[in-house]
Amino acid sequence: MAAAMALQVVAGGGGCCQRPVVGPGRLRLAALRAARAVASDAAAAKVSEEEGKVKLGGSDVAVSKLGIGAWSWGDTTYWNDSEWDDRRLKEAKAAFDTSIDNGMTFFDTAEVYGTALMGAVNSESLLGGFIKERQQKEQIDVAVATKFAALPWRFGRGSVLSALKKSLDRLGLSSVELYQLHWPGLWGNEGYLDGLADAYEQGLVKAVGVSNYNEKRLRDAYARLKKRGVPLASNQVNYSLIYRTPELNGVKAACDELGITLIAYSPIAQGVLSGKYTPEKPPTGPRANTYTPEFLTKLQPLMNRIKEIGESYGKNPTQVSLNWLTCQGNVVPIPGAKNAGQAQEFAGALGWSLTGDEVEELRSLAREIKGIKMPIEES
C-alpha cells in the first residue's frame, strides 16, 4: 500500500556495532539488543501506520498522512480577498477543529504567514490559540511545523534560535515537532543549518527540515546535519498532479534515496484541481496570473478524467488529486483549509487508494499540460 511506502522505518543500531575484541557473551547480548531495537522500530512503525500516521524521514516524529497548511490564516495579501475579519477567524477555527476531528493533526505554519509583511494576524498566533482553546476541552495530539524566514539581514546560527523562540512564544509552545528553513538564503545557509542542529540538540524542536530546496542544496543540507548526528526529516516543496517538478529535477528521487519525507504544499494547485474553476470562471486575485483561461482550457481533459475516476470511488476531484499524491509514497500533502467544509473534504482523500494504472493514466494526461515554473526551486 502506498501509505506504507511513505513510512520511514529506521532500524536502530548506530551505537550497537559489535567489536570482535569483546567476549562471545557480550556479542550475543549486543546482537539481542540490536534485534530488539529492530523489532521495536518495526512495531512502532506498524502502530503508526494503523493510527494513520507516518514518520518524518529518519526522525522520531510521526504525523498524520495528510496535514493542513495554515498559510491563509490571517493572510490578506494572497488569500481572503485582502480582508481578515471575525467571520474568517471563526471559519479558520472551524477548519482546525474539523481537521482534528478527522484525524488530520499535523499543521504547517510559518513566522511570515499573516505578519505585517503578509497579512493582518500572525498565523502562528492563530494556530497557537486554536490549540490552547481545544485543549481546554480535551487532550489532543497535535504536531506543529513552522518555518524560519531566511531574510537577507539575518546572519548565522543565532538568528535561527532567536526566530524560533519568538515563534514558540506566538504558538504558546515549549517546542515544535518540525522546524524548517522556509527557503534558501542568499547567503549564510550553512549557519542556518547549524542553527537547526542547535535547536534540535537543545530540545526546542523534535525534527528539522528545509523547504524549496533543489537536489544539490538538499544533499548538502543532509550531509551537514548528518555530521552533527541530526537527521534531515523533510523537504517541503510545491508538488501536485499538474506541478511535478520534484519528479523531474531529482528532488523526489533524492528524498526517497536519503530517507527524507517530501511535504507537498499546494497539492491541489491552490484549488485549481478541485474542479471549481473553469475557463469561463477562473480564480481571482494573484492566482489569476498563473491559472489563466488559456491554461484552464488545456486542463479540462485531465479534469474530466479525474472526475470520472472519482465517481467510481464516490470521491470528488480534490480527493482524487490528494490521493494521487499519497500514492507516490514518501509524500505528506498539506492542503490549506480555510473552513470546515474544506477540511472535511480533505479527509475524504484518506482510507482508500487509486490503482497503479489510474495513477499512471493521470500522470500521462498531466504531461500534456505545460508545467508551471517556480524559480525559487531553481536557485
Side-chain angles (χ1 to χ4, degrees):
M1 187 175 176
M5 293 170 61
L7 208 55
Q8 299 297 324
V9 182
V10 184
C16 302
C17 299
Q18 298 91 356
R19 297 181 180 180
V21 294
V22 300
R26 289 189 177 181
L27 279 173
R28 285 194 296 271
L29 179 60
L32 178 61
R33 285 175 176 168
R36 284 176 175 171
V38 172
S40 175
D41 283 347
K46 187 174 187 297
V47 169
S48 291
E49 184 180 6
E50 288 173 351
E51 293 176 347
K53 292 187 177 182
V54 292
K55 285 280 191 76
L56 287 181
S59 76
D60 293 327
V61 174
V63 302
S64 51
K65 295 177 182 177
L66 195 69
I68 296 295
W71 174 17
S72 68
W73 297 357
D75 178 80
T76 56
T77 58
Y78 199 90
W79 304 103
N80 303 309
D81 297 321
S82 301
E83 295 181 15
W84 185 257
D85 52 24
D86 189 57
R87 176 180 65 82
R88 289 178 172 85
L89 173 61
K90 290 179 180 177
E91 288 180 344
K93 175 61 165 59
F96 172 84
D97 284 330
T98 302
S99 299
I100 294 292
D101 293 341
N102 284 275
M104 297 178 295
T105 56
F106 178 42
F107 295 88
D108 178 82
T109 183
E111 63 172 324
V112 296
Y113 293 166
T115 62
L117 294 174
M118 297 181 64
V121 182
N122 189 282
S123 174
E124 290 177 326
S125 298
L126 291 171
L127 177 57
F130 296 162
I131 293 172
K132 182 178 180 180
E133 186 175 340
R134 182 69 180 246
Q135 285 182 332
Q136 289 173 346
K137 301 176 182 177
E138 62 177 322
Q139 187 63 35
I140 56 172
D141 178 24
V142 177
V144 173
T146 191
K147 310 182 198 74
F148 167 83
L151 300 169
W153 54 86
R154 286 179 162 174
F155 297 94
R157 64 209 302 170
S159 63
V160 176
L161 287 172
S162 176
L164 171 59
K165 290 173 182 177
K166 291 177 182 177
S167 287
L168 292 174
D169 285 343
R170 285 187 291 270
L171 286 161
L173 300 172
S174 59
S175 67
V176 290
E177 279 65 34
L178 178 65
Y179 196 50
Q180 307 152 95
L181 302 182
H182 204 154
W183 59 80
L186 295 175
W187 47 73
N189 289 290
E190 291 184 347
Y192 295 154
L193 291 167
D194 291 339
L196 286 184
D198 292 342
Y200 179 84
E201 291 173 352
Q202 292 178 27
L204 297 174
V205 302
K206 297 180 177 67
V208 299
V210 293
S211 181
N212 298 305
Y213 268 45
N214 62 26
E215 182 187 359
K216 182 182 185 306
R217 288 187 183 278
L218 183 67
R219 291 184 180 278
D220 290 346
Y222 173 88
R224 189 172 186 86
L225 289 168
K226 186 177 181 180
K227 289 179 181 178
R228 292 278 295 272
V230 178
L232 178 59
S234 62
N235 184 20
Q236 184 178 145
V237 295
N238 190 334
Y239 186 28
S240 71
L241 180 54
I242 59 172
Y243 185 80
R244 300 176 317 288
T245 297
E247 297 177 359
L248 307 175
N249 64 8
V251 165
K252 177 64 166 65
C255 284
D256 293 345
E257 173 194 337
L258 300 175
I260 299 168
T261 298
L262 191 155
I263 299 176
Y265 72 77
S266 295
I268 52 173
Q270 299 181 359
V272 171
L273 286 171
S274 70
K276 66 181 179 181
Y277 299 115
T278 66
E280 296 73 33
K281 187 184 176 183
T284 58
R287 288 177 294 169
N289 297 323
T290 300
Y291 304 111
T292 62
E294 292 76 18
F295 179 89
L296 293 171
T297 297
K298 296 177 182 177
L299 187 65
Q300 291 314 296
L302 173 62
M303 291 307 306
N304 291 337
R305 185 59 183 140
I306 289 174
K307 291 174 184 175
E308 290 173 359
I309 291 174
E311 287 172 359
S312 68
Y313 290 96
K315 301 295 180 179
N316 66 30
T318 293
Q319 294 160 342
V320 171
S321 298
L322 289 173
N323 193 271
W324 184 89
L325 274 178
T326 64
C327 287
Q328 306 313 308
N330 194 34
V331 176
V332 176
I334 52 167
K338 293 193 288 185
N339 54 57
Q342 290 181 346
Q344 189 71 53
E345 181 181 36
F346 299 155
L350 298 171
W352 62 285
S353 180
L354 294 167
T355 68
D357 287 345
E358 289 165 341
V359 168
E360 290 310 312
E361 180 187 1
L362 292 178
R363 178 181 278 109
S364 179
L365 286 170
R367 288 195 185 103
E368 302 301 315
I369 303 165
K370 186 178 180 181
I372 306 160
K373 289 285 286 182
M374 292 291 290
I376 191 169
E377 292 170 20
E378 306 301 326
S379 61

